[in-house]
Amino acid sequence: MTKAYDALIIGAGHNGLVCAFYLAKAGLKVRIVEARDVVGGAAVTEEFAPGFRNSVASYTVSLLQPKVIADMKLADHGYRVIERPISNFLPQEDGGYLKLGGGLERTQAEFRKFSARDAEVLPQYYDALENVAELLRDLALRVPPNVGEGMRTLIDGARQGRRFATLSLEQQRDVLDLFTKSARTMLDAWFESEAVKAAFGFDAVVGNYASPDTPGSAYVLLHHVFGEVNGKKGAWGHSVGGMGKITEIMAKVCRDHGVEISLESPVAKVLVDGGKAVGVKLVGGEEIAAARVIANVGPKLLYERMMDAGDLPADYERRIKGFKAGSGTFRMNVALSELPKFTCLPEPGEHHQSGIILAPTLDYMDRAFLDAKRDGWSKEPIVEMLIPSTVDDSLAPEGCHVASLFCQQFAPELPGGRDWDDEEEAAADCIIDTVEKHAPGFRASIVGQTRLSPKGLERKFGLVGGDIMHGNMSLDQLWSARPVLGNGGYRGPVKGLYMCGAGTHPGGGVTGAPGHNAAQVILRDRGLFAPRWR
């Protein structure tokens, strides 16, 4: 083996970088091994056509924890996020449109075009959502109580449940609704306009291979609203330089603190000796010793492909086999000679700087999922388009633009033994046709493109099943049960093995929270600081 490290992290995605920073800052000798030739995991910026650059997978900012931004001093190194002037723009089938965001009064005025009642109840809805979102913000940087640790489980559970106990009865009912109900059931209780329900319901299917009618989909909606940008809660924005700029800065900060980062170093196997993780073996044959191994890859990839079944507890292999992964996501980037001209709003404007949602109703979203379940992918997919070059001209040549197309629903595995490599091009054409219906001339403006099916996302980024969340965000795979009950506190089932990726609490998105929390657990286990309850 090569020289030993205090901590060896598998994967230089943003959570791995965050975890490495905190460990190195505390004095640990840290090395990261990354399979690709660039840091960042799924948060990377790449040139995909001559002169055109864009975020390849992850594409927008909100959930990155303010504490992580401050602790790593990202702003001192060029981190900058430009807020969307409005949140979302939804063209409608009747030729109209709905704009969401830009302030309460502006949104209410938009809602009145569809329903005076919906405009009237909007403040109450926002309050209900914010009360629960605040609960999530409070929990995001807390280590979940780990079942099976006796008194510490009870004390941690009581401490984290204290915030819930202070909520009013009505607020507790809102928590129950958002954690257990379908997005449609929850939204039907608030609004009557289908356009309004679609505007909010879209978040329930982002990275979620499910229908808005699926129980628990309301939580996925909530997961996407507990972030903030530049101090504004619930806001979303564009990272100047793309998402890769964020992880480039994180890598620089890590290196400044002594972290070694090895690129093109894919891990073949986690080495276990005497029931303890002692290092890793790379695909090239090199073995690296470490006092602790920290996985910033999904649970499926770690336990099913990087570990021998005999090194895991007998029941654990079955539990991980039952861990659900597969987000139904198809990701495209397109280089454009001009801005899309939407039939309902053709001139350039703030809507081009927002999230453009091509999914006008919850019924449309439900059909997309059912079609994908039956046929493998929907002929009328859900498409969100962002055009970051409208606020960041470094991404495209003058007068041109780049657009991110985030698309649902596409089966992680095609039925009938079909292969995504054979159908990726046809699916991409279907996505472009969907945009073309709302913005004639879009196809003709495309001068370059990339496409990543679920299989492509797995091949490029190690996202098993193309799951951008490292595992479904369902009630049985959240908080203390993410990824498995009894291992929800960032410790693996083998001594010396830890997890710091999105397959742990609080889940997917560019948050930095799993990396932050895992580092705290590792440092506590090493005795560098004592838990507060002591």
Side-chain angles (χ1 to χ4, degrees):
M1 284 190 176
T2 61
K3 59 183 179 180
Y5 293 83
D6 294 320
L8 182 70
I9 298 176
I10 304 172
H14 80 281
N15 276 310
L17 295 168
V18 170
C19 185
F21 161 76
Y22 284 107
L23 297 181
K25 187 178 179 182
L28 274 66
K29 183 179 179 182
V30 183
R31 181 173 174 182
I32 303 175
V33 288
E34 165 58 43
R36 299 191 68 215
D37 61 355
V38 62
V39 300
V44 288
T45 304
E46 296 179 2
E47 183 174 76
F48 66 98
F52 293 86
R53 301 166 55 246
N54 201 16
S55 304
V56 178
S58 173
Y59 60 100
T60 188
V61 184
S62 176
L63 304 178
L64 187 58
Q65 289 292 310
K67 184 178 187 298
V68 170
I69 295 170
D71 288 350
M72 297 187 78
K73 296 182 172 60
L74 300 184
D76 293 350
H77 297 276
Y79 171 78
R80 183 177 169 222
V81 176
I82 299 175
E83 301 161 42
R84 299 180 191 175
I86 57 173
S87 301
N88 292 324
F89 164 66
L90 287 83
Q92 293 297 299
E93 293 174 327
D94 62 2
Y97 62 85
L98 184 150
K99 291 181 180 180
L100 181 68
L104 175 61
E105 293 182 359
R106 279 199 62 187
T107 304
Q108 284 181 297
E110 282 286 311
F111 280 18
R112 287 190 189 98
K113 298 190 306 187
F114 299 89
S115 166
R117 176 186 173 276
D118 288 357
E120 183 180 347
V121 301
L122 181 61
Q124 290 77 40
Y125 174 79
Y126 277 161
D127 286 345
L129 214 60
E130 178 56 28
N131 285 329
V132 186
E134 194 60 34
L135 182 67
L136 289 186
R137 292 188 191 104
D138 183 62
L139 292 176
L141 292 183
R142 294 177 182 268
V143 177
N146 200 42
V147 174
E149 294 186 356
M151 184 61 69
R152 185 157 75 185
T153 300
L154 294 175
I155 293 175
D156 285 349
R159 189 177 71 228
Q160 294 188 29
R162 184 171 55 199
R163 178 65 179 269
F164 178 79
T166 65
L167 299 177
S168 68
L169 177 59
E170 188 61 31
Q171 290 169 337
Q172 291 184 30
R173 288 169 175 162
D174 290 334
V175 172
L176 182 64
D177 287 350
L178 283 159
F179 273 79
T180 61
K181 290 184 176 180
S182 73
R184 189 194 297 269
T185 300
M186 192 271 293
L187 291 167
D188 278 348
W190 283 96
F191 304 110
E192 58 187 14
S193 164
E194 294 304 316
V196 168
K197 285 185 276 189
F200 292 121
F202 167 74
D203 282 336
V205 297
V206 172
N208 188 20
Y209 188 49
S211 163
D213 294 326
T214 302
S217 56
Y219 172 76
V220 183
L221 178 159
L222 178 66
H223 184 78
H224 287 88
V225 302
F226 78 85
E228 61 182 78
V229 168
N230 301 331
K232 295 184 179 178
K233 293 179 180 179
W236 289 81
H238 299 285
S239 169
V240 175
M243 298 299 289
K245 182 67 174 178
I246 299 173
T247 48
E248 286 174 15
I249 294 171
M250 287 181 169
K252 180 184 184 306
V253 172
C254 284
R255 289 188 176 107
D256 289 346
H257 281 78
V259 176
E260 296 180 37
I261 301 176
S262 301
L263 302 178
E264 298 182 281
S265 301
V267 170
K269 181 182 178 181
V270 174
L271 300 173
V272 178
D273 185 24
K276 181 181 185 302
V278 295
V280 301
K281 181 177 182 178
L282 302 183
V283 170
E286 179 186 2
E287 294 186 351
I288 307 169
R292 50 197 59 78
V293 176
I294 306 145
N296 183 36
V297 296
K300 287 287 213 184
L301 183 57
L302 172 63
Y303 295 117
E304 293 186 346
R305 304 183 191 180
M306 291 184 175
M307 297 191 72
D308 291 337
D311 290 332
L312 297 171
D315 181 58
Y316 207 80
E317 184 181 9
R318 179 177 66 84
R319 296 288 179 185
I320 289 296
K321 186 176 181 180
F323 182 80
K324 300 187 297 295
S327 60
T329 300
F330 195 109
R331 184 71 173 81
M332 293 186 69
N333 287 295
V334 291
L336 303 174
S337 61
E338 61 180 4
L339 281 175
K341 295 181 175 65
F342 294 94
T343 302
C344 61
L345 201 57
E347 297 304 316
E350 63 184 2
H351 58 296
H352 285 107
Q353 299 175 12
S354 72
I356 301 163
I357 311 300
L358 306 181
T361 65
L362 296 181
D363 284 343
Y364 180 103
M365 300 178 202
D366 180 50
R367 287 195 304 272
F369 173 67
L370 295 176
D371 288 351
K373 288 277 287 184
R374 182 185 66 244
D375 302 324
W377 45 279
S378 173
K379 300 305 185 290
E380 291 187 305
I382 301 164
V383 178
E384 181 184 23
M385 178 192 296
L386 265 72
I387 313 174
S389 52
T390 55
V391 296
D392 182 0
D393 59 12
S394 71
L395 300 176
E398 186 176 356
C400 299
H401 290 277
V402 293
S404 302
L405 301 179
F406 176 88
C407 316
Q408 301 275 133
Q409 301 283 356
F410 298 82
E413 293 186 8
L414 291 170
R418 291 148 53 201
D419 193 312
W420 267 118
D421 286 343
D422 299 327
E423 302 197 24
E424 189 177 70
E425 183 176 356
D429 284 341
C430 177
I431 291 166
I432 293 169
D433 286 342
T434 301
V435 180
E436 182 80 14
K437 291 176 185 177
H438 296 276
F442 178 76
R443 180 181 289 277
S445 72
I446 296 175
V447 296
Q449 65 172 270
T450 61
R451 49 183 183 258
L452 288 169
S453 68
K455 182 179 179 180
L457 287 167
E458 178 170 337
R459 183 163 47 213
K460 189 176 182 76
F461 299 112
L463 301 171
V464 175
D467 197 321
I468 63 172
M469 305 286 192
H470 284 195
N472 291 14
M473 300 287 289
S474 51
L475 188 59
D476 60 319
Q477 295 186 176
L478 293 177
W479 201 40
S480 293
R482 190 168 184 87
V484 173
L485 196 68
N487 293 103
Y490 308 97
R491 300 179 186 88
V494 175
K495 187 177 180 181
L497 180 64
Y498 296 83
M499 297 168 284
C500 72
T504 60
H505 172 77
V510 179
T511 71
H516 169 280
N517 296 352
Q520 310 314 305
V521 170
I522 293 163
L523 295 175
R524 183 172 73 186
D525 287 353
R526 198 168 185 262
L528 295 186
F529 63 82
R532 277 181 288 175
W533 60 268
R534 286 183 183 171

Coordinates of all heavy atoms in Angstrom, one line a residue, residues 468-504:
I468 N -30.2 11.4 -9.8 CA -29.5 12.6 -9.5 C -29.6 12.8 -8.0 O -28.8 13.7 -7.5 CB -30.1 13.8 -10.2 CG1 -31.6 14.0 -9.8 CG2 -30.0 13.6 -11.7 CD1 -32.1 15.3 -10.4
M469 N -30.4 12.1 -7.3 CA -30.5 12.2 -5.8 C -29.7 11.1 -5.0 O -29.8 11.1 -3.8 CB -32.0 12.2 -5.4 CG -32.9 13.2 -6.0 SD -32.6 14.9 -5.5 CE -34.0 15.7 -6.2
H470 N -29.1 10.2 -5.8 CA -28.4 9.1 -5.1 C -29.4 8.1 -4.5 O -29.0 7.3 -3.7 CB -27.3 9.5 -4.1 CG -26.1 10.0 -4.7 ND1 -24.9 10.2 -4.0 CD2 -25.8 10.5 -6.0 CE1 -24.0 10.7 -4.7 NE2 -24.5 10.9 -5.9
G471 N -30.7 8.3 -4.8 CA -31.7 7.4 -4.2 C -33.0 8.2 -4.0 O -33.0 9.4 -3.8
N472 N -34.1 7.5 -4.1 CA -35.4 8.1 -4.0 C -35.6 8.9 -2.7 O -35.1 8.5 -1.7 CB -36.5 7.1 -4.1 CG -36.6 6.5 -5.5 OD1 -35.7 6.6 -6.3 ND2 -37.7 5.8 -5.8
M473 N -36.2 10.1 -2.9 CA -36.5 10.9 -1.7 C -37.9 10.5 -1.2 O -38.8 11.4 -1.1 CB -36.4 12.4 -2.1 CG -35.1 12.8 -2.6 SD -33.8 12.9 -1.3 CE -34.4 14.3 -0.4
S474 N -38.1 9.3 -0.8 CA -39.4 8.8 -0.3 C -39.3 8.7 1.2 O -38.2 8.7 1.8 CB -39.8 7.5 -0.9 OG -38.7 6.5 -0.8
L475 N -40.5 8.7 1.9 CA -40.5 8.7 3.3 C -39.7 7.6 4.0 O -39.1 7.8 5.1 CB -41.9 8.7 3.8 CG -42.2 8.9 5.3 CD1 -41.7 10.3 5.7 CD2 -43.7 8.8 5.7
D476 N -39.6 6.4 3.3 CA -38.8 5.3 3.9 C -37.3 5.5 3.7 O -36.6 4.6 4.2 CB -39.3 4.0 3.3 CG -39.2 4.0 1.8 OD1 -39.4 5.0 1.1 OD2 -38.8 2.9 1.2
Q477 N -36.9 6.5 2.9 CA -35.5 6.7 2.7 C -35.1 8.2 3.0 O -34.3 8.8 2.3 CB -35.2 6.4 1.2 CG -35.4 5.0 0.8 CD -35.0 4.6 -0.6 OE1 -35.1 3.4 -1.0 NE2 -34.5 5.5 -1.4
L478 N -35.6 8.7 4.1 CA -35.3 10.0 4.6 C -34.8 10.0 6.0 O -35.0 9.0 6.8 CB -36.5 10.9 4.5 CG -37.1 11.3 3.1 CD1 -38.3 12.1 3.3 CD2 -36.1 12.0 2.3
W479 N -34.1 11.1 6.4 CA -33.6 11.3 7.7 C -32.9 10.2 8.3 O -31.9 9.7 7.7 CB -34.8 11.7 8.6 CG -34.5 12.5 9.9 CD1 -33.6 13.5 10.0 CD2 -35.1 12.3 11.1 NE1 -33.6 14.0 11.3 CE2 -34.5 13.3 12.0 CE3 -36.1 11.5 11.6 CZ2 -34.9 13.4 13.4 CZ3 -36.5 11.6 13.0 CH2 -35.9 12.5 13.8
S480 N -33.3 9.6 9.4 CA -32.6 8.5 10.1 C -32.6 7.2 9.2 O -31.8 6.3 9.5 CB -33.2 8.2 11.4 OG -32.9 9.2 12.3
A481 N -33.4 7.1 8.2 CA -33.5 5.9 7.4 C -32.8 6.1 6.1 O -33.0 5.3 5.1 CB -35.0 5.5 7.2
R482 N -32.0 7.1 5.9 CA -31.3 7.3 4.7 C -29.8 7.0 4.9 O -29.1 7.8 5.6 CB -31.5 8.8 4.2 CG -31.0 9.0 2.7 CD -31.5 10.4 2.2 NE -31.0 10.5 0.8 CZ -31.7 10.1 -0.3 NH1 -32.9 9.4 -0.1 NH2 -31.3 10.3 -1.5
P483 N -29.2 6.0 4.3 CA -29.9 5.0 3.4 C -30.6 3.9 4.1 O -31.5 3.3 3.5 CB -28.7 4.5 2.5 CG -27.6 4.5 3.5 CD -27.8 5.7 4.4
V484 N -30.2 3.5 5.3 CA -30.8 2.4 6.0 C -30.9 2.7 7.4 O -30.0 3.3 8.0 CB -29.9 1.1 5.8 CG1 -30.4 -0.1 6.7 CG2 -29.8 0.7 4.3
L485 N -32.1 2.4 8.0 CA -32.3 2.6 9.4 C -31.2 1.9 10.2 O -30.9 0.7 10.0 CB -33.6 2.1 9.9 CG -34.2 2.6 11.2 CD1 -34.5 4.1 11.1 CD2 -35.4 1.9 11.6
G486 N -30.5 2.7 11.1 CA -29.4 2.1 11.9 C -28.1 2.6 11.3 O -27.1 2.4 12.0
N487 N -28.1 3.1 10.1 CA -26.9 3.7 9.5 C -27.3 5.0 8.9 O -26.8 5.4 7.8 CB -26.3 2.7 8.4 CG -25.8 1.5 9.0 OD1 -26.4 0.4 8.9 ND2 -24.6 1.5 9.7
G488 N -28.1 5.8 9.6 CA -28.5 7.1 9.1 C -27.7 8.2 9.6 O -28.0 9.4 9.4
G489 N -26.7 7.9 10.4 CA -25.8 8.9 11.0 C -24.5 9.0 10.3 O -23.5 9.4 11.0
Y490 N -24.4 8.7 9.0 CA -23.2 8.9 8.2 C -22.1 7.8 8.4 O -21.1 7.7 7.7 CB -22.6 10.3 8.3 CG -23.6 11.3 8.1 CD1 -24.2 12.0 9.2 CD2 -23.9 11.7 6.8 CE1 -25.2 12.9 8.9 CE2 -24.9 12.7 6.6 CZ -25.5 13.3 7.7 OH -26.5 14.2 7.4
R491 N -22.4 6.9 9.4 CA -21.5 5.7 9.6 C -22.0 4.5 8.8 O -23.2 4.2 8.8 CB -21.4 5.4 11.0 CG -20.9 6.5 11.9 CD -20.9 6.0 13.4 NE -20.5 7.0 14.3 CZ -21.4 7.9 14.9 NH1 -22.7 7.7 14.6 NH2 -21.1 8.8 15.7
G492 N -21.0 3.9 8.1 CA -21.4 2.7 7.4 C -21.6 1.5 8.3 O -21.3 1.6 9.5
P493 N -21.9 0.3 7.7 CA -22.1 -0.9 8.6 C -20.8 -1.6 8.9 O -20.8 -2.6 9.6 CB -23.0 -1.8 7.7 CG -22.6 -1.4 6.3 CD -22.3 0.1 6.3
V494 N -19.7 -1.1 8.4 CA -18.4 -1.6 8.7 C -17.6 -0.5 9.4 O -17.6 0.7 9.0 CB -17.6 -1.9 7.4 CG1 -16.2 -2.4 7.7 CG2 -18.4 -3.0 6.6
K495 N -16.9 -0.9 10.5 CA -16.1 0.1 11.2 C -15.1 0.8 10.3 O -14.5 0.2 9.5 CB -15.4 -0.6 12.4 CG -14.7 0.4 13.3 CD -14.0 -0.4 14.5 CE -13.3 0.6 15.4 NZ -12.6 -0.1 16.5
G496 N -15.0 2.1 10.5 CA -14.1 2.9 9.7 C -14.6 3.4 8.4 O -13.9 4.0 7.6
L497 N -15.8 3.0 8.1 CA -16.5 3.4 6.8 C -17.5 4.4 7.0 O -18.4 4.2 7.9 CB -17.1 2.1 6.1 CG -17.8 2.4 4.8 CD1 -16.8 2.8 3.7 CD2 -18.5 1.1 4.3
Y498 N -17.5 5.5 6.3 CA -18.5 6.6 6.4 C -19.1 6.9 5.1 O -18.5 6.6 4.0 CB -17.8 7.8 7.0 CG -17.3 7.6 8.4 CD1 -16.1 7.1 8.6 CD2 -18.0 8.0 9.5 CE1 -15.6 6.9 9.9 CE2 -17.6 7.9 10.8 CZ -16.3 7.3 11.0 OH -15.8 7.1 12.3
M499 N -20.2 7.6 5.1 CA -20.9 8.1 3.8 C -21.0 9.6 4.0 O -21.4 10.1 5.0 CB -22.2 7.4 3.6 CG -22.1 5.9 3.4 SD -23.7 5.1 3.6 CE -24.0 5.1 5.3
C500 N -20.8 10.3 2.9 CA -21.0 11.8 2.9 C -21.7 12.3 1.7 O -21.7 13.5 1.5 CB -19.6 12.5 3.1 SG -18.6 12.4 1.6
G501 N -22.4 11.5 0.9 CA -23.0 11.9 -0.3 C -24.5 12.1 -0.1 O -25.1 12.0 1.0
A502 N -25.2 12.4 -1.3 CA -26.6 12.7 -1.3 C -27.5 11.5 -0.9 O -28.7 11.6 -0.7 CB -27.1 13.2 -2.6
G503 N -26.9 10.3 -0.8 CA -27.6 9.1 -0.3 C -27.8 9.1 1.2 O -28.3 8.1 1.8
T504 N -27.3 10.2 1.8 CA -27.5 10.4 3.3 C -28.3 11.6 3.5 O -28.6 12.4 2.6 CB -26.2 10.5 4.0 OG1 -25.4 11.6 3.5 CG2 -25.3 9.2 3.8

